[in-house]
Amino acid sequence: MFKKFYEEGNETDYETEQPITLKEIWKTLDEIFSSLKDVNVVDVYYEEVEIVEKKETYPTIVVDVYTKDNKNLVYLVYVKDLDEYSWKEIKREIEKKYKSDTLNICDEDEMYVSFCT
């Protein structure tokens, strides 16, 4: 899987040579969402992220988690073939799949969805 995880400036790499495919994002997002505990807000959005070491920009799904103990966890999931058009479809699926009794949609637009408890 091709992702990075940041916690209060503590970067952990989970990188492989290639970004994941659109089909592979669900496994990664499932892992992230299933690991969430004691969260206030989870923002999920599309962004082009520059990888300084590689001098490349990758389309990225960002999962920005704000916990009840004031931590901010950020997951960057690099996805090849992701663009604004495919993001809109994926965003709709994210809304359906991860909205639950504990995570409600509290804000959204074309480029992001925000879940809150």
Side-chain angles (χ1 to χ4, degrees), residues 26 29-30 32-34 36 38-45 61-68 87 90-109 111-117:
W26 298 111
L29 291 176
D30 285 348
I32 293 169
F33 273 84
S34 68
L36 296 178
D38 298 323
V39 299
N40 282 330
V41 176
V42 180
D43 294 328
V44 185
Y45 53 95
I61 296 174
V62 180
V63 182
D64 198 356
V65 180
Y66 298 89
T67 65
K68 291 182 179 178
W87 165 248
I90 291 166
K91 181 184 146 309
R92 279 195 287 275
E93 288 300 313
I94 288 171
E95 290 171 356
K96 289 180 197 174
K97 189 168 186 159
Y98 301 114
K99 183 181 178 204
S100 66
D101 292 338
T102 55
L103 280 180
N104 295 306
I105 296 172
C106 51
D107 197 9
E108 67 172 310
D109 72 7
M111 299 311 287
Y112 80 95
V113 59
S114 185
F115 296 93
C116 52
T117 55

mmCIF file of all heavy atoms in Angstrom, residues 26 29-30 32-34 36 38-45 61-68 87 90-109 111-117:
data_model
loop_
_atom_site.group_PDB
_atom_site.id
_atom_site.type_symbol
_atom_site.label_atom_id
_atom_site.label_comp_id
_atom_site.label_asym_id
_atom_site.label_seq_id
_atom_site.Cartn_x
_atom_site.Cartn_y
_atom_site.Cartn_z
ATOM 1 N N TRP A 26 -10.221 0.792 -1.299
ATOM 2 C CA TRP A 26 -11.207 0.386 -0.295
ATOM 3 C C TRP A 26 -10.568 -0.406 0.837
ATOM 4 O O TRP A 26 -10.939 -0.229 1.995
ATOM 5 C CB TRP A 26 -12.377 -0.349 -0.941
ATOM 6 C CG TRP A 26 -13.051 0.581 -1.895
ATOM 7 C CD1 TRP A 26 -13.067 0.495 -3.250
ATOM 8 C CD2 TRP A 26 -13.728 1.801 -1.561
ATOM 9 N NE1 TRP A 26 -13.727 1.583 -3.783
ATOM 10 C CE2 TRP A 26 -14.138 2.391 -2.782
ATOM 11 C CE3 TRP A 26 -14.029 2.446 -0.369
ATOM 12 C CZ2 TRP A 26 -14.842 3.601 -2.816
ATOM 13 C CZ3 TRP A 26 -14.727 3.643 -0.413
ATOM 14 C CH2 TRP A 26 -15.119 4.204 -1.622
ATOM 15 N N LEU A 29 -8.808 2.310 2.934
ATOM 16 C CA LEU A 29 -9.765 3.132 3.683
ATOM 17 C C LEU A 29 -10.468 2.325 4.763
ATOM 18 O O LEU A 29 -10.705 2.830 5.868
ATOM 19 C CB LEU A 29 -10.775 3.771 2.725
ATOM 20 C CG LEU A 29 -10.208 4.852 1.805
ATOM 21 C CD1 LEU A 29 -11.278 5.337 0.833
ATOM 22 C CD2 LEU A 29 -9.620 6.012 2.585
ATOM 23 N N ASP A 30 -10.791 1.067 4.471
ATOM 24 C CA ASP A 30 -11.401 0.200 5.492
ATOM 25 C C ASP A 30 -10.480 0.056 6.700
ATOM 26 O O ASP A 30 -10.931 0.112 7.841
ATOM 27 C CB ASP A 30 -11.716 -1.187 4.927
ATOM 28 C CG ASP A 30 -12.931 -1.193 4.009
ATOM 29 O OD1 ASP A 30 -13.677 -0.196 3.976
ATOM 30 O OD2 ASP A 30 -13.109 -2.218 3.307
ATOM 31 N N ILE A 32 -8.180 2.144 7.716
ATOM 32 C CA ILE A 32 -8.131 3.419 8.440
ATOM 33 C C ILE A 32 -9.403 3.609 9.265
ATOM 34 O O ILE A 32 -9.351 3.875 10.468
ATOM 35 C CB ILE A 32 -7.920 4.601 7.470
ATOM 36 C CG1 ILE A 32 -6.530 4.514 6.836
ATOM 37 C CG2 ILE A 32 -8.120 5.937 8.194
ATOM 38 C CD1 ILE A 32 -6.317 5.468 5.672
ATOM 39 N N PHE A 33 -10.565 3.462 8.627
ATOM 40 C CA PHE A 33 -11.821 3.713 9.331
ATOM 41 C C PHE A 33 -12.077 2.693 10.437
ATOM 42 O O PHE A 33 -12.621 3.039 11.483
ATOM 43 C CB PHE A 33 -12.998 3.778 8.349
ATOM 44 C CG PHE A 33 -13.210 5.152 7.779
ATOM 45 C CD1 PHE A 33 -12.489 5.588 6.690
ATOM 46 C CD2 PHE A 33 -14.112 6.025 8.358
ATOM 47 C CE1 PHE A 33 -12.666 6.858 6.168
ATOM 48 C CE2 PHE A 33 -14.302 7.297 7.857
ATOM 49 C CZ PHE A 33 -13.577 7.718 6.753
ATOM 50 N N SER A 34 -11.674 1.460 10.238
ATOM 51 C CA SER A 34 -11.891 0.452 11.281
ATOM 52 C C SER A 34 -10.978 0.682 12.487
ATOM 53 O O SER A 34 -11.271 0.207 13.579
ATOM 54 C CB SER A 34 -11.695 -0.953 10.726
ATOM 55 O OG SER A 34 -10.345 -1.180 10.397
ATOM 56 N N LEU A 36 -10.336 3.672 13.763
ATOM 57 C CA LEU A 36 -10.680 4.929 14.422
ATOM 58 C C LEU A 36 -11.313 4.687 15.783
ATOM 59 O O LEU A 36 -12.231 3.886 15.921
ATOM 60 C CB LEU A 36 -11.646 5.741 13.557
ATOM 61 C CG LEU A 36 -11.116 6.204 12.211
ATOM 62 C CD1 LEU A 36 -12.203 6.962 11.461
ATOM 63 C CD2 LEU A 36 -9.873 7.049 12.369
ATOM 64 N N ASP A 38 -12.384 7.072 19.439
ATOM 65 C CA ASP A 38 -12.471 8.346 20.164
ATOM 66 C C ASP A 38 -12.193 9.547 19.269
ATOM 67 O O ASP A 38 -11.360 10.402 19.575
ATOM 68 C CB ASP A 38 -11.521 8.353 21.365
ATOM 69 C CG ASP A 38 -11.862 7.273 22.379
ATOM 70 O OD1 ASP A 38 -13.073 7.027 22.575
ATOM 71 O OD2 ASP A 38 -10.940 6.685 22.948
ATOM 72 N N VAL A 39 -12.890 9.622 18.144
ATOM 73 C CA VAL A 39 -12.685 10.739 17.225
ATOM 74 C C VAL A 39 -13.787 11.779 17.368
ATOM 75 O O VAL A 39 -14.915 11.458 17.734
ATOM 76 C CB VAL A 39 -12.604 10.268 15.751
ATOM 77 C CG1 VAL A 39 -11.444 9.331 15.555
ATOM 78 C CG2 VAL A 39 -13.891 9.657 15.281
ATOM 79 N N ASN A 40 -13.435 13.014 17.089
ATOM 80 C CA ASN A 40 -14.408 14.095 16.992
ATOM 81 C C ASN A 40 -14.810 14.313 15.541
ATOM 82 O O ASN A 40 -15.984 14.397 15.221
ATOM 83 C CB ASN A 40 -13.840 15.403 17.547
ATOM 84 C CG ASN A 40 -13.856 15.443 19.051
ATOM 85 O OD1 ASN A 40 -14.712 14.844 19.692
ATOM 86 N ND2 ASN A 40 -12.899 16.152 19.627
ATOM 87 N N VAL A 41 -13.791 14.415 14.677
ATOM 88 C CA VAL A 41 -14.029 14.741 13.269
ATOM 89 C C VAL A 41 -13.083 13.927 12.395
ATOM 90 O O VAL A 41 -11.923 13.726 12.749
ATOM 91 C CB VAL A 41 -13.795 16.255 13.004
ATOM 92 C CG1 VAL A 41 -13.947 16.585 11.530
ATOM 93 C CG2 VAL A 41 -14.728 17.098 13.850
ATOM 94 N N VAL A 42 -13.598 13.499 11.236
ATOM 95 C CA VAL A 42 -12.781 12.850 10.221
ATOM 96 C C VAL A 42 -13.085 13.549 8.897
ATOM 97 O O VAL A 42 -14.198 13.468 8.394
ATOM 98 C CB VAL A 42 -13.094 11.342 10.092
ATOM 99 C CG1 VAL A 42 -12.223 10.718 9.014
ATOM 100 C CG2 VAL A 42 -12.927 10.627 11.419
ATOM 101 N N ASP A 43 -12.100 14.271 8.374
ATOM 102 C CA ASP A 43 -12.238 14.937 7.080
ATOM 103 C C ASP A 43 -11.583 14.061 6.025
ATOM 104 O O ASP A 43 -10.443 13.615 6.202
ATOM 105 C CB ASP A 43 -11.552 16.309 7.083
ATOM 106 C CG ASP A 43 -12.223 17.292 8.022
ATOM 107 O OD1 ASP A 43 -13.453 17.201 8.202
ATOM 108 O OD2 ASP A 43 -11.522 18.157 8.583
ATOM 109 N N VAL A 44 -12.293 13.837 4.924
ATOM 110 C CA VAL A 44 -11.754 13.043 3.822
ATOM 111 C C VAL A 44 -11.843 13.914 2.576
ATOM 112 O O VAL A 44 -12.924 14.404 2.238
ATOM 113 C CB VAL A 44 -12.550 11.731 3.620
ATOM 114 C CG1 VAL A 44 -11.895 10.872 2.555
ATOM 115 C CG2 VAL A 44 -12.682 10.961 4.932
ATOM 116 N N TYR A 45 -10.696 14.107 1.900
ATOM 117 C CA TYR A 45 -10.717 14.972 0.730
ATOM 118 C C TYR A 45 -9.662 14.570 -0.289
ATOM 119 O O TYR A 45 -8.754 13.799 -0.013
ATOM 120 C CB TYR A 45 -10.573 16.446 1.122
ATOM 121 C CG TYR A 45 -9.382 16.784 1.990
ATOM 122 C CD1 TYR A 45 -8.195 17.233 1.433
ATOM 123 C CD2 TYR A 45 -9.461 16.672 3.379
ATOM 124 C CE1 TYR A 45 -7.115 17.561 2.224
ATOM 125 C CE2 TYR A 45 -8.380 17.004 4.185
ATOM 126 C CZ TYR A 45 -7.214 17.449 3.599
ATOM 127 O OH TYR A 45 -6.134 17.769 4.384
ATOM 128 N N ILE A 61 -5.869 10.782 -1.599
ATOM 129 C CA ILE A 61 -7.015 10.861 -0.708
ATOM 130 C C ILE A 61 -6.433 11.115 0.682
ATOM 131 O O ILE A 61 -5.632 10.330 1.178
ATOM 132 C CB ILE A 61 -7.847 9.571 -0.717
ATOM 133 C CG1 ILE A 61 -8.458 9.347 -2.100
ATOM 134 C CG2 ILE A 61 -8.941 9.631 0.359
ATOM 135 C CD1 ILE A 61 -9.193 8.025 -2.252
ATOM 136 N N VAL A 62 -6.823 12.228 1.267
ATOM 137 C CA VAL A 62 -6.349 12.601 2.589
ATOM 138 C C VAL A 62 -7.444 12.277 3.605
ATOM 139 O O VAL A 62 -8.598 12.659 3.413
ATOM 140 C CB VAL A 62 -6.003 14.105 2.665
ATOM 141 C CG1 VAL A 62 -5.512 14.485 4.053
ATOM 142 C CG2 VAL A 62 -4.976 14.480 1.600
ATOM 143 N N VAL A 63 -7.065 11.553 4.647
ATOM 144 C CA VAL A 63 -7.981 11.271 5.753
ATOM 145 C C VAL A 63 -7.382 11.974 6.974
ATOM 146 O O VAL A 63 -6.354 11.555 7.497
ATOM 147 C CB VAL A 63 -8.142 9.754 6.000
ATOM 148 C CG1 VAL A 63 -9.150 9.505 7.121
ATOM 149 C CG2 VAL A 63 -8.574 9.029 4.728
ATOM 150 N N ASP A 64 -8.024 13.043 7.375
ATOM 151 C CA ASP A 64 -7.539 13.921 8.434
ATOM 152 C C ASP A 64 -8.405 13.688 9.679
ATOM 153 O O ASP A 64 -9.582 14.041 9.688
ATOM 154 C CB ASP A 64 -7.630 15.358 7.949
ATOM 155 C CG ASP A 64 -6.793 16.321 8.751
ATOM 156 O OD1 ASP A 64 -6.184 15.905 9.747
ATOM 157 O OD2 ASP A 64 -6.759 17.508 8.378
ATOM 158 N N VAL A 65 -7.825 13.084 10.711
ATOM 159 C CA VAL A 65 -8.574 12.645 11.883
ATOM 160 C C VAL A 65 -8.243 13.525 13.083
ATOM 161 O O VAL A 65 -7.073 13.714 13.418
ATOM 162 C CB VAL A 65 -8.228 11.167 12.226
ATOM 163 C CG1 VAL A 65 -9.012 10.709 13.446
ATOM 164 C CG2 VAL A 65 -8.472 10.262 11.032
ATOM 165 N N TYR A 66 -9.290 14.041 13.728
ATOM 166 C CA TYR A 66 -9.139 14.821 14.956
ATOM 167 C C TYR A 66 -9.749 14.014 16.092
ATOM 168 O O TYR A 66 -10.944 13.722 16.072
ATOM 169 C CB TYR A 66 -9.844 16.176 14.834
ATOM 170 C CG TYR A 66 -9.265 17.028 13.746
ATOM 171 C CD1 TYR A 66 -9.753 16.956 12.442
ATOM 172 C CD2 TYR A 66 -8.208 17.891 14.005
ATOM 173 C CE1 TYR A 66 -9.207 17.726 11.433
ATOM 174 C CE2 TYR A 66 -7.652 18.677 12.993
ATOM 175 C CZ TYR A 66 -8.164 18.582 11.714
ATOM 176 O OH TYR A 66 -7.621 19.344 10.711
ATOM 177 N N THR A 67 -8.919 13.626 17.050
ATOM 178 C CA THR A 67 -9.386 12.769 18.142
ATOM 179 C C THR A 67 -9.864 13.592 19.333
ATOM 180 O O THR A 67 -9.574 14.784 19.438
ATOM 181 C CB THR A 67 -8.274 11.814 18.600
ATOM 182 O OG1 THR A 67 -7.210 12.583 19.154
ATOM 183 C CG2 THR A 67 -7.767 10.950 17.455
ATOM 184 N N LYS A 68 -10.563 12.915 20.235
ATOM 185 C CA LYS A 68 -11.084 13.585 21.431
ATOM 186 C C LYS A 68 -9.984 14.008 22.392
ATOM 187 O O LYS A 68 -10.186 14.892 23.212
ATOM 188 C CB LYS A 68 -12.094 12.679 22.139
ATOM 189 C CG LYS A 68 -13.353 12.515 21.321
ATOM 190 C CD LYS A 68 -14.390 11.667 22.004
ATOM 191 C CE LYS A 68 -15.612 11.590 21.107
ATOM 192 N NZ LYS A 68 -16.669 10.759 21.640
ATOM 193 N N TRP A 87 -12.898 11.114 -8.271
ATOM 194 C CA TRP A 87 -13.045 11.455 -6.863
ATOM 195 C C TRP A 87 -14.521 11.629 -6.494
ATOM 196 O O TRP A 87 -14.952 11.208 -5.425
ATOM 197 C CB TRP A 87 -12.264 12.711 -6.507
ATOM 198 C CG TRP A 87 -12.686 13.266 -5.181
ATOM 199 C CD1 TRP A 87 -13.344 14.436 -4.949
ATOM 200 C CD2 TRP A 87 -12.522 12.652 -3.891
ATOM 201 N NE1 TRP A 87 -13.589 14.585 -3.611
ATOM 202 C CE2 TRP A 87 -13.099 13.504 -2.937
ATOM 203 C CE3 TRP A 87 -11.954 11.452 -3.461
ATOM 204 C CZ2 TRP A 87 -13.121 13.205 -1.582
ATOM 205 C CZ3 TRP A 87 -11.972 11.167 -2.098
ATOM 206 C CH2 TRP A 87 -12.545 12.028 -1.181
ATOM 207 N N ILE A 90 -15.995 8.279 -5.912
ATOM 208 C CA ILE A 90 -15.414 7.693 -4.704
ATOM 209 C C ILE A 90 -15.974 8.378 -3.457
ATOM 210 O O ILE A 90 -16.316 7.727 -2.477
ATOM 211 C CB ILE A 90 -13.876 7.782 -4.748
ATOM 212 C CG1 ILE A 90 -13.353 6.832 -5.824
ATOM 213 C CG2 ILE A 90 -13.255 7.486 -3.397
ATOM 214 C CD1 ILE A 90 -11.921 7.059 -6.204
ATOM 215 N N LYS A 91 -16.096 9.681 -3.515
ATOM 216 C CA LYS A 91 -16.631 10.439 -2.377
ATOM 217 C C LYS A 91 -18.044 9.978 -2.037
ATOM 218 O O LYS A 91 -18.378 9.782 -0.867
ATOM 219 C CB LYS A 91 -16.613 11.929 -2.674
ATOM 220 C CG LYS A 91 -17.120 12.791 -1.541
ATOM 221 C CD LYS A 91 -17.143 14.236 -1.987
ATOM 222 C CE LYS A 91 -18.237 15.064 -1.436
ATOM 223 N NZ LYS A 91 -19.588 14.656 -1.493
ATOM 224 N N ARG A 92 -18.867 9.766 -3.049
ATOM 225 C CA ARG A 92 -20.228 9.271 -2.803
ATOM 226 C C ARG A 92 -20.203 7.907 -2.110
ATOM 227 O O ARG A 92 -20.966 7.645 -1.187
ATOM 228 C CB ARG A 92 -21.016 9.175 -4.108
ATOM 229 C CG ARG A 92 -21.587 10.506 -4.565
ATOM 230 C CD ARG A 92 -22.649 10.335 -5.621
ATOM 231 N NE ARG A 92 -22.109 9.959 -6.925
ATOM 232 C CZ ARG A 92 -21.657 10.815 -7.830
ATOM 233 N NH1 ARG A 92 -21.685 12.099 -7.578
ATOM 234 N NH2 ARG A 92 -21.199 10.394 -8.979
ATOM 235 N N GLU A 93 -19.294 7.053 -2.554
ATOM 236 C CA GLU A 93 -19.161 5.732 -1.933
ATOM 237 C C GLU A 93 -18.642 5.835 -0.501
ATOM 238 O O GLU A 93 -19.076 5.095 0.377
ATOM 239 C CB GLU A 93 -18.241 4.836 -2.761
ATOM 240 C CG GLU A 93 -18.852 4.375 -4.056
ATOM 241 C CD GLU A 93 -20.138 3.576 -3.851
ATOM 242 O OE1 GLU A 93 -20.151 2.673 -2.986
ATOM 243 O OE2 GLU A 93 -21.125 3.873 -4.538
ATOM 244 N N ILE A 94 -17.714 6.743 -0.269
ATOM 245 C CA ILE A 94 -17.195 6.962 1.085
ATOM 246 C C ILE A 94 -18.328 7.391 2.012
ATOM 247 O O ILE A 94 -18.450 6.901 3.132
ATOM 248 C CB ILE A 94 -16.055 8.007 1.073
ATOM 249 C CG1 ILE A 94 -14.793 7.414 0.435
ATOM 250 C CG2 ILE A 94 -15.758 8.524 2.484
ATOM 251 C CD1 ILE A 94 -13.692 8.419 0.169
ATOM 252 N N GLU A 95 -19.168 8.305 1.534
ATOM 253 C CA GLU A 95 -20.297 8.772 2.339
ATOM 254 C C GLU A 95 -21.214 7.612 2.717
ATOM 255 O O GLU A 95 -21.614 7.476 3.874
ATOM 256 C CB GLU A 95 -21.083 9.837 1.577
ATOM 257 C CG GLU A 95 -20.336 11.135 1.422
ATOM 258 C CD GLU A 95 -21.031 12.094 0.474
ATOM 259 O OE1 GLU A 95 -22.067 11.735 -0.143
ATOM 260 O OE2 GLU A 95 -20.534 13.227 0.342
ATOM 261 N N LYS A 96 -21.550 6.775 1.742
ATOM 262 C CA LYS A 96 -22.441 5.634 1.999
ATOM 263 C C LYS A 96 -21.795 4.614 2.930
ATOM 264 O O LYS A 96 -22.427 4.102 3.845
ATOM 265 C CB LYS A 96 -22.796 4.923 0.686
ATOM 266 C CG LYS A 96 -23.712 5.685 -0.218
ATOM 267 C CD LYS A 96 -23.964 4.851 -1.457
ATOM 268 C CE LYS A 96 -24.525 5.688 -2.583
ATOM 269 N NZ LYS A 96 -24.626 4.918 -3.818
ATOM 270 N N LYS A 97 -20.542 4.310 2.654
ATOM 271 C CA LYS A 97 -19.869 3.215 3.349
ATOM 272 C C LYS A 97 -19.521 3.532 4.799
ATOM 273 O O LYS A 97 -19.614 2.662 5.666
ATOM 274 C CB LYS A 97 -18.601 2.850 2.576
ATOM 275 C CG LYS A 97 -17.925 1.609 3.070
ATOM 276 C CD LYS A 97 -16.864 1.143 2.099
ATOM 277 C CE LYS A 97 -16.341 -0.180 2.581
ATOM 278 N NZ LYS A 97 -15.708 -0.959 1.580
ATOM 279 N N TYR A 98 -19.122 4.766 5.090
ATOM 280 C CA TYR A 98 -18.583 5.075 6.415
ATOM 281 C C TYR A 98 -19.519 5.886 7.305
ATOM 282 O O TYR A 98 -19.215 6.092 8.473
ATOM 283 C CB TYR A 98 -17.215 5.738 6.297
ATOM 284 C CG TYR A 98 -16.237 4.845 5.581
ATOM 285 C CD1 TYR A 98 -15.720 5.197 4.343
ATOM 286 C CD2 TYR A 98 -15.864 3.610 6.117
ATOM 287 C CE1 TYR A 98 -14.845 4.360 3.669
ATOM 288 C CE2 TYR A 98 -14.995 2.767 5.439
ATOM 289 C CZ TYR A 98 -14.487 3.154 4.219
ATOM 290 O OH TYR A 98 -13.630 2.320 3.545
ATOM 291 N N LYS A 99 -20.646 6.309 6.758
ATOM 292 C CA LYS A 99 -21.637 6.954 7.620
ATOM 293 C C LYS A 99 -22.239 5.865 8.497
ATOM 294 O O LYS A 99 -22.586 4.789 8.024
ATOM 295 C CB LYS A 99 -22.724 7.613 6.789
ATOM 296 C CG LYS A 99 -23.726 8.338 7.633
ATOM 297 C CD LYS A 99 -24.808 8.977 6.820
ATOM 298 C CE LYS A 99 -25.779 9.640 7.775
ATOM 299 N NZ LYS A 99 -27.086 9.787 7.194
ATOM 300 N N SER A 100 -22.321 6.150 9.799
ATOM 301 C CA SER A 100 -22.801 5.129 10.736
ATOM 302 C C SER A 100 -23.519 5.808 11.897
ATOM 303 O O SER A 100 -23.702 7.024 11.913
ATOM 304 C CB SER A 100 -21.614 4.319 11.253
ATOM 305 O OG SER A 100 -20.772 5.131 12.042
ATOM 306 N N ASP A 101 -23.864 4.989 12.886
ATOM 307 C CA ASP A 101 -24.490 5.538 14.089
ATOM 308 C C ASP A 101 -23.535 6.447 14.854
ATOM 309 O O ASP A 101 -23.960 7.377 15.528
ATOM 310 C CB ASP A 101 -24.941 4.409 15.017
ATOM 311 C CG ASP A 101 -26.090 3.617 14.419
ATOM 312 O OD1 ASP A 101 -26.794 4.149 13.533
ATOM 313 O OD2 ASP A 101 -26.269 2.457 14.823
ATOM 314 N N THR A 102 -22.240 6.158 14.735
ATOM 315 C CA THR A 102 -21.259 6.971 15.463
ATOM 316 C C THR A 102 -20.623 8.058 14.603
ATOM 317 O O THR A 102 -20.139 9.044 15.136
ATOM 318 C CB THR A 102 -20.139 6.086 16.047
ATOM 319 O OG1 THR A 102 -19.563 5.313 15.001
ATOM 320 C CG2 THR A 102 -20.676 5.173 17.134
ATOM 321 N N LEU A 103 -20.599 7.897 13.294
ATOM 322 C CA LEU A 103 -20.036 8.908 12.393
ATOM 323 C C LEU A 103 -21.124 9.435 11.461
ATOM 324 O O LEU A 103 -21.607 8.723 10.586
ATOM 325 C CB LEU A 103 -18.912 8.317 11.542
ATOM 326 C CG LEU A 103 -17.543 8.160 12.164
ATOM 327 C CD1 LEU A 103 -16.578 7.554 11.150
ATOM 328 C CD2 LEU A 103 -16.993 9.462 12.696
ATOM 329 N N ASN A 104 -21.489 10.674 11.664
ATOM 330 C CA ASN A 104 -22.477 11.327 10.808
ATOM 331 C C ASN A 104 -21.771 12.283 9.864
ATOM 332 O O ASN A 104 -20.702 12.793 10.184
ATOM 333 C CB ASN A 104 -23.468 12.138 11.658
ATOM 334 C CG ASN A 104 -24.295 11.252 12.538
ATOM 335 O OD1 ASN A 104 -24.934 10.324 12.064
ATOM 336 N ND2 ASN A 104 -24.264 11.522 13.832
ATOM 337 N N ILE A 105 -22.386 12.563 8.744
ATOM 338 C CA ILE A 105 -21.843 13.574 7.838
ATOM 339 C C ILE A 105 -22.258 14.933 8.372
ATOM 340 O O ILE A 105 -23.443 15.214 8.515
ATOM 341 C CB ILE A 105 -22.357 13.364 6.403
ATOM 342 C CG1 ILE A 105 -21.858 12.025 5.880
ATOM 343 C CG2 ILE A 105 -21.908 14.515 5.501
ATOM 344 C CD1 ILE A 105 -22.442 11.618 4.546
ATOM 345 N N CYS A 106 -21.257 15.759 8.678
ATOM 346 C CA CYS A 106 -21.582 17.062 9.245
ATOM 347 C C CYS A 106 -21.289 18.212 8.283
ATOM 348 O O CYS A 106 -21.754 19.322 8.499
ATOM 349 C CB CYS A 106 -20.878 17.282 10.580
ATOM 350 S SG CYS A 106 -19.124 16.988 10.581
ATOM 351 N N ASP A 107 -20.532 17.939 7.205
ATOM 352 C CA ASP A 107 -20.264 18.972 6.212
ATOM 353 C C ASP A 107 -19.728 18.296 4.960
ATOM 354 O O ASP A 107 -19.113 17.228 5.040
ATOM 355 C CB ASP A 107 -19.232 19.976 6.742
ATOM 356 C CG ASP A 107 -19.209 21.273 5.956
ATOM 357 O OD1 ASP A 107 -20.101 21.485 5.094
ATOM 358 O OD2 ASP A 107 -18.299 22.085 6.181
ATOM 359 N N GLU A 108 -19.950 18.907 3.811
ATOM 360 C CA GLU A 108 -19.421 18.352 2.572
ATOM 361 C C GLU A 108 -19.544 19.368 1.440
ATOM 362 O O GLU A 108 -20.325 20.311 1.515
ATOM 363 C CB GLU A 108 -20.163 17.071 2.181
ATOM 364 C CG GLU A 108 -21.601 17.300 1.794
ATOM 365 C CD GLU A 108 -22.253 16.065 1.229
ATOM 366 O OE1 GLU A 108 -21.665 15.446 0.321
ATOM 367 O OE2 GLU A 108 -23.345 15.735 1.689
ATOM 368 N N ASP A 109 -18.730 19.174 0.424
ATOM 369 C CA ASP A 109 -18.877 19.843 -0.850
ATOM 370 C C ASP A 109 -18.325 18.891 -1.905
ATOM 371 O O ASP A 109 -18.156 17.699 -1.637
ATOM 372 C CB ASP A 109 -18.232 21.230 -0.862
ATOM 373 C CG ASP A 109 -16.718 21.224 -0.860
ATOM 374 O OD1 ASP A 109 -16.101 20.154 -0.972
ATOM 375 O OD2 ASP A 109 -16.124 22.316 -0.756
ATOM 376 N N MET A 111 -15.368 18.463 -3.076
ATOM 377 C CA MET A 111 -14.011 17.974 -2.881
ATOM 378 C C MET A 111 -13.768 17.296 -1.548
ATOM 379 O O MET A 111 -12.715 16.709 -1.350
ATOM 380 C CB MET A 111 -13.010 19.120 -3.062
ATOM 381 C CG MET A 111 -13.055 19.745 -4.456
ATOM 382 S SD MET A 111 -13.010 18.552 -5.801
ATOM 383 C CE MET A 111 -11.325 18.043 -5.732
ATOM 384 N N TYR A 112 -14.692 17.368 -0.607
ATOM 385 C CA TYR A 112 -14.459 16.735 0.690
ATOM 386 C C TYR A 112 -15.776 16.322 1.348
ATOM 387 O O TYR A 112 -16.850 16.788 0.988
ATOM 388 C CB TYR A 112 -13.693 17.676 1.623
ATOM 389 C CG TYR A 112 -14.552 18.735 2.278
ATOM 390 C CD1 TYR A 112 -15.079 18.524 3.542
ATOM 391 C CD2 TYR A 112 -14.855 19.918 1.631
ATOM 392 C CE1 TYR A 112 -15.879 19.490 4.150
ATOM 393 C CE2 TYR A 112 -15.630 20.876 2.216
ATOM 394 C CZ TYR A 112 -16.161 20.658 3.481
ATOM 395 O OH TYR A 112 -16.956 21.595 4.062
ATOM 396 N N VAL A 113 -15.626 15.440 2.313
ATOM 397 C CA VAL A 113 -16.726 15.081 3.204
ATOM 398 C C VAL A 113 -16.167 15.071 4.623
ATOM 399 O O VAL A 113 -15.057 14.619 4.858
ATOM 400 C CB VAL A 113 -17.370 13.730 2.836
ATOM 401 C CG1 VAL A 113 -16.372 12.597 2.884
ATOM 402 C CG2 VAL A 113 -18.571 13.430 3.713
ATOM 403 N N SER A 114 -16.941 15.604 5.535
ATOM 404 C CA SER A 114 -16.521 15.681 6.926
ATOM 405 C C SER A 114 -17.499 14.874 7.769
ATOM 406 O O SER A 114 -18.700 15.117 7.755
ATOM 407 C CB SER A 114 -16.512 17.145 7.371
ATOM 408 O OG SER A 114 -15.996 17.264 8.660
ATOM 409 N N PHE A 115 -16.947 13.889 8.503
ATOM 410 C CA PHE A 115 -17.728 13.075 9.418
ATOM 411 C C PHE A 115 -17.477 13.583 10.835
ATOM 412 O O PHE A 115 -16.362 13.992 11.155
ATOM 413 C CB PHE A 115 -17.288 11.606 9.368
ATOM 414 C CG PHE A 115 -17.528 10.934 8.043
ATOM 415 C CD1 PHE A 115 -16.545 10.910 7.075
ATOM 416 C CD2 PHE A 115 -18.741 10.301 7.790
ATOM 417 C CE1 PHE A 115 -16.745 10.259 5.859
ATOM 418 C CE2 PHE A 115 -18.950 9.661 6.581
ATOM 419 C CZ PHE A 115 -17.964 9.646 5.619
ATOM 420 N N CYS A 116 -18.502 13.549 11.666
ATOM 421 C CA CYS A 116 -18.307 13.931 13.062
ATOM 422 C C CYS A 116 -19.131 13.013 13.960
ATOM 423 O O CYS A 116 -20.073 12.386 13.514
ATOM 424 C CB CYS A 116 -18.618 15.393 13.313
ATOM 425 S SG CYS A 116 -20.209 15.917 12.717
ATOM 426 N N THR A 117 -18.740 12.989 15.225
ATOM 427 C CA THR A 117 -19.429 12.136 16.188
ATOM 428 C C THR A 117 -20.446 12.934 16.963
ATOM 429 O O THR A 117 -20.441 14.138 16.965
ATOM 430 C CB THR A 117 -18.446 11.486 17.166
ATOM 431 O OG1 THR A 117 -17.680 12.497 17.794
ATOM 432 C CG2 THR A 117 -17.542 10.529 16.454
#
